[in-house]
Amino acid sequence: MIFWFRFFSHWPLWALHAIGQIAGWLAWLLSKTYRQRFLANVKTAGLGFYQAVGAVGQAGAMSTELPRLWMGNSPAVHWEDGALNCVEKPMLQAEAFYF
């Protein structure tokens, strides 16, 4: 499993998302239990199938992001001038703040 995570961690996100869309639909089509639970959740949410159909592929796309997120290279973070003050000031004053 670690081999596959390392292998896929170097792939671009667009490729992982494409594979994930296919995997999500395959899981939905091949698993009766998953399909039944998905449809029950859609009904409970008060949505029609066509309103929630995108979630089938997105669930797969989200799962194929994991190798990239966990083992891929971290993107560079660049702080604008003065942006760090928005975080440091509340921290030094022990105030609550949200990102």
Side-chain angles (χ1 to χ4, degrees):
M1 187 75 159
I2 292 175
F3 169 79
W4 289 113
F5 262 65
R6 285 195 181 125
F7 176 73
F8 286 119
S9 71
H10 301 289
W11 285 39
L13 278 177
W14 66 265
L16 295 174
H17 285 164
I19 292 169
Q21 289 279 337
I22 295 166
W25 276 102
L26 283 174
W28 194 82
L29 291 170
L30 298 175
S31 173
K32 182 179 178 182
T33 305
Y34 176 52
R35 191 169 49 253
Q36 289 173 339
R37 289 180 182 169
F38 178 86
L39 294 173
N41 288 337
V42 168
K43 185 177 178 182
T44 301
L47 300 172
F49 177 73
Y50 292 105
Q51 292 173 298
V53 71
V56 174
Q58 288 299 321
M62 183 176 60
S63 65
T64 56
E65 287 179 351
L66 291 177
R68 176 74 185 261
L69 294 173
W70 289 355
M71 301 181 117
N73 293 333
S74 298
V77 177
H78 301 285
W79 289 86
E80 305 247 342
D81 289 336
L84 194 56
N85 294 336
C86 295
V87 176
E88 286 183 333
K89 184 179 176 185
M91 286 177 65
L92 293 174
Q93 296 174 354
E95 294 178 16
F97 65 98
Y98 300 96
F99 283 102

